[in-house]
């Protein structure tokens, strides 16, 4: 299924790239955060979404591969409907350049739909021992906040070729490995993860530097939506996904705090070149070097999550926070010395 997903995604990416160019839905270089030299087609996220939708629906129609565990057809309906909302909102944003207060509507609706269709976390592992059983309202709040944070992490991460999709692919890969392990063994989760992973990789073949197509606004939130949903639907494996995306997520937190202090809520969603990947680019790193470094960190900490217990994962996360804090201090001192 992974190979089929890869091939379908690659074919759809080529087709959608041509359509986006034909109808003028492209990202034109304008300096600042847009560092590409020529217009690049947008809407690549549609290829990922379409691939996942087609293969999930076919599997549900003709097999029981995706429903052999605790995931139901209703859950898949909520997942696909939420993704469709992101695609529609993303298209409008790419086409008309929606202001942030309007662009956030689609992610909010997507998260609400997922919750409304019953995707929830019934319990969380307590790092100090035992489990924490959640009430429905607690689950809804955690899932909503989690999905919004992950979606905006990948949205803000989508600043270099292949960065957001590649990190998201690593997240899907780690969930798949965990679902195939003897300790958890969830073949339905593993199959869904394989479909999502193949769709990411098929698109990434044309999105890695130099990119021939971009995710677009809908795609940049959708890849985070996929990883976030996989972490929830697999039984609350938030820590595993969190370790994979910890560096970009902490970068987002740093950026949001800095922007809020500079100009309040209205400043938070205004783009700039202060993200970690932009700072590294300004210091002479190449796009491929930066993206490869992100991949390496995501793989190392993602693989560690496969073997660590809950308390050890908390220690690993603390190590990432400390690492990010040191990097932030070093970069800030370099900025002041320039």
């Amino acid at each position: 299924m992974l190979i089929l997903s890869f091939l379908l995604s690659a074919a759809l990416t080529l087709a959608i790239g041509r359509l986006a160019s034909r109808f003028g839905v492209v990202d034109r270089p304008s300096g600042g955060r847009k560092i590409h030299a020529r217009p690049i087609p947008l809407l690549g996220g549609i290829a990922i979404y379409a691939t996942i939708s087609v293969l999930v629906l076919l599997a549900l129609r003709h097999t029981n591969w995706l429903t052999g565990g605790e995931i139901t057809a209703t859950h898949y309906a909520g997942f696909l409907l939420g993704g469709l909302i992101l695609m529609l909102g993303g298209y409008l944003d790419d086409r008309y350049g929606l202001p942030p207060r309007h662009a956030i509507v689609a992610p909010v609706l997507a998260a609400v739909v997922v919750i409304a269709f019953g995707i929830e976390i019934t319990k969380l592992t307590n790092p100090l021992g035992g489990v924490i059983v959640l009430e429905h309202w607690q689950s809804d709040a955690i899932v909503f906040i989690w999905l919004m944070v992950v979606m905006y992490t990948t949205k803000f991460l989508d600043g270099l070729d292949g960065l957001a999709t590649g990190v998201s692919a690593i997240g899907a890969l780690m969930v798949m490995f965990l679902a195939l392990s003897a300790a958890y063994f969830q073949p339905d989760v593993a199959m869904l993860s394989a479909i999502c992973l193949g769709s990411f990789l098929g698109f990434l073949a044309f999105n890695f530097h130099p990119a021939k197509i971009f995710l677009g606004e809908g795609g940049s939130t959708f890849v985070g939506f996929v990883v976030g949903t996989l972490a929830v639907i697999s039984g609350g494996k938030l820590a595993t996904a969190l370790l994979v995306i910890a560096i970009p997520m902490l970068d987002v937190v740093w950026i949001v705090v800095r922007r809020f202090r500079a100009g309040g809520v209205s400043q938070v969603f205004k783009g700039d070149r202060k993200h970690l990947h932009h700072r590294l680019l300004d210091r002479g790193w190449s796009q491929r070097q930066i993206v490869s470094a992100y991949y390496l960190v995501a793989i190392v900490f993602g693989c560690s999550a496969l073997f660590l217990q809950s308390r050890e994962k908390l220690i690993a996360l603390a190590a990432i926070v400390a690492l990010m804090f040191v990097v932030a201090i070093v970069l800030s001192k370099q900025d002041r010395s320039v």
Side-chain angles (χ1 to χ4, degrees), residues 19 38 77 85 92 98 114 129 162-163 169 171 210 236 261 270 276 290 300 307 311 334:
L19 286 173
R38 59 183 179 82
I85 291 171
L92 293 174
L98 301 179
V114 162
L163 187 51
R261 292 178 63 185
K270 291 185 178 180
L276 177 59
I290 297 169
V300 168
F307 306 101
R311 185 176 300 179
Q334 289 180 354

Side-chain angles (χ1 to χ4, degrees), residues 1-2 5-6 9 48-49 51-53 55-56 66 76 79-80 165 168-173 176 189-203 222-223 225-227 229-230:
M1 190 63 84
L2 190 153
S5 179
F6 173 86
S9 177
I48 297 175
Y49 173 75
T51 298
I52 294 174
S53 297
L55 294 183
V56 165
L66 294 176
Y76 288 111
F79 171 58
L80 296 180
T165 308
S168 298
I170 294 168
L173 177 66
M176 185 180 75
V189 174
M191 180 62 68
L192 178 60
S193 299
I195 292 172
C196 296
L197 174 60
S199 69
F200 289 160
L201 295 178
F203 171 78
F222 180 66
V223 294
F225 174 79
V226 169
V227 174
T229 304
L230 283 176

Side-chain angles (χ1 to χ4, degrees), residues 209-292:
H209 186 72
K212 299 177 179 62
I213 187 170
F214 288 159
L215 282 168
E217 292 298 322
S220 67
T221 51
F222 180 66
V223 294
F225 174 79
V226 169
V227 174
T229 304
L230 283 176
V232 172
I233 214 168
S234 60
K237 296 180 178 61
L238 274 60
T240 299
L242 185 58
L243 283 172
V244 171
I245 63 172
I247 291 294
M249 184 176 289
L250 290 170
D251 183 41
V252 169
V253 172
W254 171 265
I255 290 294
V256 168
V257 170
R258 184 188 59 78
R259 290 178 183 174
F260 181 80
R261 292 178 63 185
V265 176
S266 61
Q267 193 70 23
V268 169
F269 296 99
K270 291 185 178 180
D272 56 30
R273 286 182 58 87
K274 295 298 183 180
H275 287 285
L276 177 59
H277 51 271
H278 286 135
R279 287 171 176 259
L280 294 174
L281 194 67
D282 292 340
R283 281 161 177 76
W285 290 43
S286 70
Q287 285 206 48
R288 292 197 175 198
Q289 287 174 328
I290 297 169
V291 172
S292 297

